[in-house]
Amino acid sequence: MKELKFVKTLLLFFLALVLSQNTTAQAGQNPDYTMVVEGFDWGPMVNKVIIGLDSPTKNVNMADYTVVAERSHPCAVIPLEFAKGPRTVVYAYVSDNKGKKVESGTFITLVLYVAPNSQIGSALQYSQKAECRGNQWVDYKLTVLNTKTNQIWNKKKDRIMPIGDDFDLSGKFEYESGKSLTYAEFVPKKSAAKAPLIIWLHGGGEGGTDPSIALMGNKAFNYASSDIQKYFGGAYVLVPQTPGAWMQDKDGKMQSGNGEDAYNVGLMALIKHYVNTHPGIDKKRIYIGGCSNGGYMSLKLLLKEPSYFAAAYISALAYQSQYITDAQINSIKNIPIWFIQSKDDKVTDPVKTAIPVYERLKKAGAKNVHFSFYDHVTDLSGMFGGENYHFNGHWSWIYSHANQAHTEFDGSEVLLNGKPTTVMEWLAAQAKK
């Protein structure tokens, strides 16, 4: 009897062990997931997660899934309420491993709720700390649970950035010994004719040595979108990045045009090198634009080399008019320029920057200068309040990236060949004579 009891106990032990192993295997099957980071008007958000299944399916119920996010960074301070929390699933569908919808497949894409005031979905964290100042990619982790099967996906395999992934992020140019600028670049599909070059200069929060931040920190990647590229018949896009801020002098202090910055010479060398090493670029159609710090630098390069660029598009200009001479104004009065700014900009006061520069250009006889001047920067999508939702007044570059700027300083429509136009359609029509 004792031997029989021992044998039964041993069998029960092994049975429990096998069941335990099977349960663990079920819970851990295909734990990989792919995270999708999409750029919105207010910044990049984790808005989808793609998970793999063990067998093909045609149906998915979003109610069967819960998602929890964790955001961390070794330097940037993340408030506790935005460090960990649930993500709301708003839609689910059967897809391929890239998130493309299919009728039957072994992957599921969960679409997650995002909004301007939903920080838990943000892929970036803005830091005020000196050692990691500006926008920083966070270590973003997701845990997906199927509440019916208890299957868990918690191992990040890949990150997809729509349109952003079409850029080469490996660019680096040494303009002096030991001094370099990084950059992102987009090369259009080959065509018979030469293609123009669109240059975008980031703001003060996107400096560093990772050009994906300069590209995705706001919606600059959108200049490579089909909606904008169609106006140019295909265009190169160059997004240079400074290790600090475009407005810094050699001692690291910020100035608004009253001093010499540390980067304009190196940046101009980078642009010329890029153009000269890409014979497909049309040298008569090189366009320069930027926001805030980048708006400062865009105007600085126009003042330094007024004959090089075909046109400029500048948002939230940080260059103060008082530091620009009348002779300099006259030197750029024939360059087509489109300014964009909001009246409630508390960072770069338009009364000191864009308004007087625009008025001085008009007084000097500029024929092709425009200024879209908004009361507020509002929700262009209409999903979060439309005209009643106000972003930070400094963020006027939203109208540039979304190609929504279309008005003159007095509120009338900007005309191109007698018809209303947008900033990108207008830009594409500009060429040096």
Side-chain angles (χ1 to χ4, degrees), residues 29 74 87 98 138 163 264 303 386 389 412:
Q29 286 174 345
R87 296 295 308 275
K98 299 295 184 181
V138 298
I163 305 180
N264 73 79
L303 295 171
Y389 186 96
S412 63

Side-chain angles (χ1 to χ4, degrees), residues 222-260:
N222 206 43
Y223 297 117
S225 70
S226 58
D227 288 343
I228 289 179
Q229 286 281 310
K230 68 183 180 184
Y231 294 116
F232 299 86
Y236 291 79
V237 182
L238 177 65
V239 184
Q241 183 186 34
T242 170
W246 297 120
M247 295 170 67
Q248 286 179 338
D249 64 18
K250 60 182 179 59
D251 297 318
K253 295 180 180 179
M254 300 291 282
Q255 49 77 47
S256 304
N258 53 315
E260 185 69 2

Side-chain angles (χ1 to χ4, degrees), residues 89-111:
V89 180
V90 296
Y91 184 58
Y93 59 91
V94 181
S95 70
D96 62 12
N97 65 339
K98 299 295 184 181
K100 182 180 179 180
K101 195 171 186 178
V102 296
E103 184 177 343
S104 176
T106 56
F107 292 89
I108 287 174
T109 294
L110 304 177
V111 181

Side-chain angles (χ1 to χ4, degrees), residues 16 44 47 110 121 155 162 201 234 244 270 327 331 378 404 409 429:
N47 72 322
L110 304 177
K155 185 179 179 182
L201 303 180
L270 161 60
S331 73
T378 62
Q404 290 296 309
F409 190 68

Side-chain angles (χ1 to χ4, degrees), residues 304-327:
K304 287 283 189 179
E305 301 210 30
S307 64
Y308 190 82
F309 299 97
Y313 59 111
I314 296 174
S315 306
L317 177 65
Y319 206 127
Q320 291 194 14
S321 176
Q322 63 177 315
Y323 302 123
I324 304 173
T325 66
D326 289 340

